[in-house]
Amino acid sequence: MTEEDKILEEVTAAEYKYGFTTDIESDKIPKGLNEDVIRIISQKKNEPEWLLEYRLKAFRSWEKMEEPDWANINYEKPNYQDIIYYAAPKQKKKLESLDDLDPEMKKTFDKLGISLDEQKRLAGVAVDFVMDSVSVATSFKDNLADLGIIFCSISEAVQEHPELVKKYIGTVVPTSDNFFSALNSAVFTDGSFCYIPKGVKCPMELSTYFRINEAGTGQFERTLLIADKGSYVSYLEGCTAPMRDENQLHAAVVELIAMDDAEIKYSTVQNWYPGDAEGKGGVFNFVTKRGICHDRAKISWTQVETGSAVTWKYPSCILKGDDSIGEFYSVAVTNNYQQADTGTKMIHLGKNSKSTIISKGICAGKSEGSYRGLVKIMKGAENARNFSQCDSLLMGDKCGSHTFPYIEVKNKSAKVEHEATTSKIGEDQIFYCNQRGIGTEEAIALIVNGYCKDVLNQLPMEFAVEAQKLLAISLEGSVG
Amino acid sequence: MLSIKDLKAGVEESQILKGINLEVKPGEVHAIMGPNGSGKSTLSSVIAGREDYEVKGGSISFEGDDILELDPEERAHKGIFLSFQYPIEIPGVSVSNFIKTSLNESRKAQGLEPMPAGDLLKMMREKMELFEIKKGYLSRSLNQGFSGGEKKRNEIFQMAMLEPKLAILDETDSGLDIDALRIVANGVNKLRSDDNATIVITHYQRLLDYIIPDFVHVLYDGRIVKSGTKELAHELEEKGYDWIIKEADQC
C-alpha cells in the first residue's frame, strides 16, 4: 500500500465514521449486507484496522461465492439482504415468572431435571439470585487467570489480546474457505476466545455456559481456541436446554489450534429449536469447525446434535504434525422434519498421524440424516491410520439415513478402515424390555443410549448424563 | 394364581391356540410339552402380552384380575416373567444397567423408591453365585456375543433378580450343555417357594429330571390334549408324541 493509498483510506474510513454517527446512537443499522454495514459493525465494536480489513476481505470473497447445495438437505435459502447484521446486545424479553413460560418448554426443563433457579436463568426470568452464578463464574475466572489461561468473549480478546487474535484468527478456517465461514468472518459479532499457555493443564472443564451469563451468543458466533505447547484443555459448548432464537440462520466458525504435544477436547451438545412437529420454524445451523494439530498434538471433537431444523456441520482435523491424533465422535438425532448433513474431515499430512471417526446417526419421524466424511491421506503422511465407523439407527419407516464416505489416499503405507451398519430398533427389542417391566418410551431411551455409548462415553460425566436425558426427550413419541 | 379359560389366539387369519384351559396355583410347577408347532411359544407370548398375537376368545386372569387388556410391562409389574427362547441382544446396554432399569421400573409401578445401588450390587452378587456366573459379566452388553448357554443363564439370572410370582421358562433347556442345565435347574429350584409358580415349556423330558413338575400337559394343535403328573413326561420320552396325537385325532 502506498503512502497515498493509506491516507486515502484513512480519509474514507473517517468519513464513514462520521457519516454514521446517528446510527451508532440509535444502535440499529439497516437490513442487508454491504461494505458499509461491515465498517459499522467493526466501528461499533471499536475494532482495530486489521480486523476490519479481515472482515472486508471475507466479505469480498463471500460476494463471489455461491451458497453450496451439495449437501443432502433441502431448505429455502435465506435472503441475506433481509437480515440485520448488527444490533446492540438485545435485551431478551424478561418474563415476570416461570408461569409465563411456554408450557412445552417448562415440561422439557422438568424432564431434564433442571433446577427451578436454573430454569429461570435459562428462560430469562428477571431474578436477582443470578448474582450467585456470576460470582461463581468470577471465581472461576480468577483461578484461570492465576494459571495464565485467558477465557473471555472474542470481542474482549480483540481489545485485550489483539496480538493473539491477529496471529491466529483465520489460520485454520481461511476467510474464503466456504460460503458460510466467509459470511461469518465478515459479520461475526461475538463468540469465545481461549488461550492455554505452554505446559498448562486446564484444571476444569471450560464451559461457554459461564460466558453466556455475561453476553448472549450471537447469530454468527466465532470461537478461537489456542492450546500452546504441551497444554491440555477440555471445552464444553452448548446446553441441553432447548434454545429458541428469533434468528433463523446460524453460521458459526470454530477454530482450534493444538500446538506441539497439546490436547484439546471439544464437546458440543446442541439443541437449537428444531421447528414444530410439522416442520415449521426451526433454526438453520451452518457451522464450520476445524482444528489443526501440530506434532504429537491431539484434537477430539465430540458432538451430540439433537436440535435445528437444518444442520450442516463437519468438525474437522488437519493432522499437520507427525504423530498427531484426530478424533470425531458424533451422535446426530433427527426427528419429525429435521434434516442433518454432518460428519467430519480428517486431513493427514504428518507421519504416523492417526484418526478415529465414530458416527452414530438416529433418524425418526420423517427426518433425513446423512453422514458425510472425508479421510484424506496426503503424500507425506507415512503410516497414517484411520478407522471410521458410521452407524445409523432408524425408527419407523418414513425417515432416511445416508452415508457418504470419501476416502483419498496418496500414500501407500496408509491404512484406512471403514465400517458402516444400518439397523432398526426392533419390535423384538422393545417387547423384550416391556416384558422386563420397562415401558416403551424408557425402552427406546435405553436402546438408543446403548447404541450411542461409545460417543457418550467421550463426554465429561455430567454432560453425558444430561445428553442421555436429552436423547430420550428428542425421540419421545417417535415409536408406537 | 393363573387361570386360562378357553383361550383362542392367532396371527391374522390363522388360529394357533384353539381353546386352552390351564389353572396354575401358587407353589406349583407345570410343564408344557408338545411337538414342534403345537403352540407352546405362542401360549407363552400371549400370556406375556406380545401384540403380534391377537386374542380371539377366552380369558386369562392373574391373581383374580383380567390381564388381557394390560400392556406387557404392566403384566411384568404384576409379577409375570417370561424367560425367552431366543433372548434379544441390546448392544451397548450392560447387563447390570438393564437389570437395574428393569427392577426399578417394577418398583416404581409399585410405588417404591429405586433400590439403593449398594443393595442392588449385593443382591446381584448373591444371585450370581447361585448361578455360578463369572465376574465381568455384569458389564457386558446384554446378550451381545453371548453363547447360547450364556443367554439362557442370563435369563434365569434376571428372573432371580426380579423375583416374579409366575415364571414361564420357554425352552430354557435348549442350547444348554449338561453342566449348565444343572446349574440353571438348581437355581430355579432354589427360587421355588409356596408363593410363586413356574411354567416350564420344553421339548424334552431331560430338564424335568432336574426341575420336578407337579403337572405335565401335552399341547397339540392348539389344545391341551393330555394332562398328568411327571410320569407322563417319562412316557413321552419313551414313546414319543405319536400315540397321544393318534388319541387326540380320534376324539
Side-chain angles (χ1 to χ4, degrees), chain A residues 428-429 432 435-437 453, chain B residues 50 77 82 102 155 158:
Chain A
D428 283 352
Q429 283 177 321
Y432 188 72
Q435 207 298 307
R436 299 296 138 91
K453 198 175 91 178
Chain B
R50 186 158 195 148
H77 297 158
L82 171 63
S102 172
E155 291 291 284
Q158 290 180 43

Side-chain angles (χ1 to χ4, degrees), chain B residues 44-240:
Chain B
S44 62
S45 294
V46 171
I47 297 172
R50 186 158 195 148
E51 280 167 9
D52 303 359
Y53 298 97
E54 196 190 329
V55 174
K56 295 169 179 179
S59 67
I60 305 178
S61 69
F62 185 71
E63 296 193 310
D65 300 328
D66 178 9
I67 59 165
L68 278 178
E69 291 303 314
L70 297 184
D71 288 334
E73 62 270 25
E74 293 170 321
R75 299 184 198 199
H77 297 158
K78 280 183 163 291
I80 296 175
F81 179 92
L82 171 63
S83 167
F84 281 55
Q85 184 178 1
Y86 304 108
I88 309 296
E89 296 180 6
I90 306 185
V93 177
S94 67
V95 172
S96 56
N97 187 21
F98 185 74
I99 292 178
K100 184 183 86 187
T101 309
S102 172
L103 198 69
N104 285 335
E105 285 295 317
S106 290
R107 288 174 68 94
K108 195 163 92 187
Q110 286 149 24
L112 296 171
E113 290 292 309
M115 187 181 270
D119 294 359
L120 186 71
L121 211 63
K122 191 166 159 259
M123 186 175 174
M124 281 190 190
R125 285 217 190 92
E126 284 170 14
K127 308 286 183 185
M128 278 169 80
E129 224 163 278
L130 194 60
F131 296 101
E132 299 178 29
I133 287 170
K134 291 184 201 90
K135 264 195 205 163
Y137 158 85
L138 289 179
S139 53
R140 288 174 66 183
S141 277
L142 188 69
N143 290 322
Q144 201 184 23
F146 282 28
S147 70
E150 281 175 325
K151 283 183 182 174
K152 294 300 173 69
R153 214 187 287 197
N154 180 29
E155 291 291 284
I156 301 301
F157 174 57
Q158 290 180 43
M159 177 182 112
M161 289 298 296
L162 294 170
E163 300 177 321
K165 289 178 188 156
L166 174 69
I168 305 165
L169 313 184
D170 190 0
E171 308 259 356
T172 296
D173 49 340
S174 67
L176 288 184
D177 62 35
I178 198 75
D179 292 329
L181 185 73
R182 205 177 50 236
I183 292 165
V184 166
N186 284 343
V188 172
N189 287 331
K190 278 186 196 150
L191 299 171
R192 281 175 75 168
S193 78
D194 291 341
D195 304 319
N196 61 29
T198 311
I199 297 175
V200 182
I201 293 174
T202 180
H203 268 295
Y204 304 107
Q205 190 269 336
R206 192 177 66 157
L207 178 65
L208 305 180
D209 286 341
Y210 298 97
I211 303 174
I212 314 289
D214 298 302
F215 301 97
V216 174
H217 309 279
V218 179
L219 192 61
Y220 170 66
D221 192 25
R223 288 186 185 87
I224 288 175
V225 293
K226 198 169 184 72
S227 295
T229 56
K230 65 176 195 276
E231 281 71 32
L232 177 59
H234 287 289
E235 216 178 328
L236 289 170
E237 186 79 359
E238 274 170 39
K239 300 199 227 163

